[in-house]
Amino acid sequence: SLDDELIKQYRRDRVIGKDDYILICTHEPLELGIVLDSSVSIRDPDFKACKEFLQNYLQQFDIGSGPRSVRVSLITYGRGTYKQDAFNLTTYSSKDDVINAIGRVPHRKGDYTDTGLGIRYMDEVQLADGVVRPGVVKVGLVITDGESQEPEKTRSAAQAARADGIVTFAVGVGKSVKDTELQAIAGDSKRVVKVGNYDELNTITESLAQMTCIKQEEPTTQLPADQPCGALHPSDIYFVFSPASLGTEATSWATSFISVTIGSSEMEVGFRYGVVSGSCPDDAGFDLDDYDNVNDIRRRLSSYTERKVPSLLKRLSQDGYTRARGARDGAKRVAVLFATNGKERLDEHVRSLVAQNVTVYLADPLNSGLVVAGASTLSGRLPGYQADDFI
């Protein structure tokens, strides 16, 4: 069990919630990434017990989509990571949905324990800058019952996660897990919890929630409350889309999204808008006398099938946020990318934007499930956003 003084140190306001669960983490925004062992060393009943523990643990958090809510992601690992079973911070917007999703996670019984790769996926994809809310505490919770096959890779991945601002916790189950590896994952013995078996996990449900509910530091000065959001936090926002890639229906959704967003009364002051787009092929045809040989015509036709969005992102990355393009010093840089499938390689270009301190949002008009590393997904929501989403 955890030391009483440590529990007291992390204790937060507690209120009785529905279903008689104690809500320990209330009004404390948190980005929580769970990394769960799904290797063959775990028996099926034990894997089920671990999922039930996570469900009880998460009952104590104020999970939702509000600005002060807790958001949760999960990745399982064994022989590599099982991305098909993962969910990200924006996949579910209610506590019930998150808890039900955990109940559906299958036991993959991987014949390897690649803990490091699971931590790396959480760090670089699920809790990456541009995905998490700015200024919100990031917590990584790693659960394992044995030593990874590559402990140095595990140590390195955990160290990189902490360097990216993630507070890592390690939960070790059983006798096979080594203290040195748990310490390497957590980075501090105070963030290590051990239990003898999976049945004992429920003895740490409340204490672990108290530990991982880390209070966000309050600002030392208060900004005037009566000023518009944009006056306090000006933002330069680009909308990036290719009608040729989206198609008619999704393009209509994208233009509606932009129209509703910029028409909001909260977006009138302090915001500047730009569009980076390309023409549909039908709008860029050629006349009867433009070409006099088949090869030239074929080259022109091949340009219609080129992926447009990567070139648009490259253009934005090169000179979009410059004074010549109307960008302002000190304004937050935002890019809203519209895309509907994974055929176009966007990760590299998004990383380039993020490296320039651009916050990238991915709007998925068809709700196709597209995920781009470094971008915060907006799929599944109505085509219109308030100022708070962009500052």
Side-chain angles (χ1 to χ4, degrees), residues 249-381:
E249 179 183 353
T251 298
S252 176
W253 190 97
T255 55
S256 175
F257 176 108
I258 297 170
S259 178
V260 173
T261 298
I262 65 177
S264 167
S265 60
E266 294 186 39
M267 307 289 278
E268 292 179 353
V269 178
F271 294 88
R272 288 186 180 179
Y273 306 103
V275 169
V276 180
S277 185
S279 299
C280 291
D282 290 342
D283 295 333
F286 50 87
D287 295 329
L288 295 172
D289 57 354
D290 282 348
Y291 301 105
D292 57 10
N293 66 78
V294 172
N295 288 334
D296 287 344
I297 293 176
R298 285 175 174 167
R299 277 193 292 270
R300 180 63 179 270
L301 292 174
S302 68
S303 70
Y304 293 164
T305 61
E306 292 177 357
R307 298 298 175 185
K308 305 294 183 182
V309 178
S311 63
L312 298 179
L313 290 175
K314 183 177 180 181
R315 187 199 314 171
L316 177 61
S317 177
Q318 287 174 339
D319 68 352
Y321 296 96
T322 60
R323 290 185 179 181
R325 298 288 185 184
R328 296 163 293 175
D329 294 337
K332 181 176 180 179
R333 299 176 174 184
V334 177
V336 181
L337 164 65
F338 298 88
T340 59
N341 59 61
K343 294 181 180 179
E344 298 175 310
R345 296 186 176 275
L346 307 178
D347 295 43
E348 177 183 351
H349 299 287
V350 169
R351 282 197 298 269
S352 177
L353 287 169
V354 171
Q356 298 176 45
N357 295 319
V358 179
T359 300
V360 182
Y361 293 92
L362 173 65
D364 185 351
L366 302 183
N367 202 18
S368 63
L370 176 63
V371 175
V372 177
S376 183
T377 303
L378 301 177
S379 61
R381 297 178 62 181

Side-chain angles (χ1 to χ4, degrees), residues 33-351:
I34 298 172
V35 182
L36 178 61
D37 191 345
S38 187
S39 59
V40 72
S41 61
I42 305 171
R43 299 183 307 126
D44 283 338
D46 288 338
F47 190 77
K48 181 180 179 182
C50 188
K51 293 195 297 181
E52 291 174 352
F53 156 72
L54 283 174
Q55 290 171 319
N56 292 332
Y57 162 73
L58 292 174
Q59 283 284 7
Q60 301 168 96
F61 289 81
D62 185 14
I63 297 172
S65 58
R68 305 293 295 177
S69 297
V70 175
R71 302 194 303 178
V72 182
S73 69
L74 179 139
I75 182 68
T76 57
Y77 66 92
R79 179 165 285 280
T81 55
Y82 303 112
K83 301 179 183 66
Q84 66 271 35
D85 304 326
F87 58 83
N88 299 322
L89 296 176
T90 57
T91 304
Y92 302 109
S93 58
S94 75
K95 181 188 297 186
D96 288 344
D97 287 344
V98 170
I99 288 175
N100 290 336
I102 288 176
R104 295 191 299 269
V105 173
H107 183 197
R108 293 294 178 180
K109 302 178 183 177
D111 59 351
Y112 205 76
T113 306
D114 205 339
T115 313
L117 202 58
I119 296 172
R120 181 179 175 184
Y121 186 84
M122 172 196 67
D123 174 26
E124 297 183 355
V125 177
Q126 296 178 313
L127 299 187
D129 291 342
V131 175
V132 299
R133 293 165 290 181
V136 174
V137 175
K138 300 185 291 184
V139 168
L141 178 64
V142 182
I143 303 175
T144 183
D145 80 332
E147 183 181 14
S148 58
Q149 266 76 15
E150 299 181 69
E152 180 56 31
K153 185 166 77 172
T154 300
R155 184 200 63 78
S156 177
Q159 192 174 47
R162 289 192 296 276
D164 289 335
I166 300 174
V167 184
T168 51
F169 290 80
V171 176
V173 185
K175 298 179 180 179
S176 298
V177 65
K178 290 191 174 181
D179 291 345
T180 52
E181 178 146 315
L182 295 177
Q183 172 77 22
I185 292 171
D188 188 329
S189 60
K190 292 182 179 180
R191 297 197 296 270
V192 173
V193 183
K194 289 183 66 178
V195 293
N197 55 60
Y198 280 93
D199 290 335
E200 292 181 11
L201 279 172
N202 280 326
T203 66
I204 64 166
T205 302
E206 181 178 335
S207 56
L208 185 64
Q210 291 165 341
M211 290 177 66
T212 51
C213 182
I214 299 175
K215 187 174 180 63
Q216 187 176 17
E217 292 186 6
E218 297 295 335
T220 55
T221 58
Q222 296 293 326
L223 295 172
D226 57 347
Q227 295 190 44
C229 293
L232 300 174
H233 306 282
S235 296
D236 293 337
I237 303 175
Y238 271 105
F239 300 98
V240 185
F241 66 97
S242 167
S245 298
L246 290 179
T248 303
E249 179 183 353
T251 298
S252 176
W253 190 97
T255 55
S256 175
F257 176 108
I258 297 170
S259 178
V260 173
T261 298
I262 65 177
S264 167
S265 60
E266 294 186 39
M267 307 289 278
E268 292 179 353
V269 178
F271 294 88
R272 288 186 180 179
Y273 306 103
V275 169
V276 180
S277 185
S279 299
C280 291
D282 290 342
D283 295 333
F286 50 87
D287 295 329
L288 295 172
D289 57 354
D290 282 348
Y291 301 105
D292 57 10
N293 66 78
V294 172
N295 288 334
D296 287 344
I297 293 176
R298 285 175 174 167
R299 277 193 292 270
R300 180 63 179 270
L301 292 174
S302 68
S303 70
Y304 293 164
T305 61
E306 292 177 357
R307 298 298 175 185
K308 305 294 183 182
V309 178
S311 63
L312 298 179
L313 290 175
K314 183 177 180 181
R315 187 199 314 171
L316 177 61
S317 177
Q318 287 174 339
D319 68 352
Y321 296 96
T322 60
R323 290 185 179 181
R325 298 288 185 184
R328 296 163 293 175
D329 294 337
K332 181 176 180 179
R333 299 176 174 184
V334 177
V336 181
L337 164 65
F338 298 88
T340 59
N341 59 61
K343 294 181 180 179
E344 298 175 310
R345 296 186 176 275
L346 307 178
D347 295 43
E348 177 183 351
H349 299 287
V350 169
R351 282 197 298 269

Side-chain angles (χ1 to χ4, degrees), residues 1-10 192 207 210-211:
S1 63
L2 296 172
D3 183 85
D4 289 341
E5 287 302 315
L6 183 60
I7 295 175
K8 184 177 180 181
Q9 175 184 347
Y10 286 97
V192 173
S207 56
Q210 291 165 341
M211 290 177 66

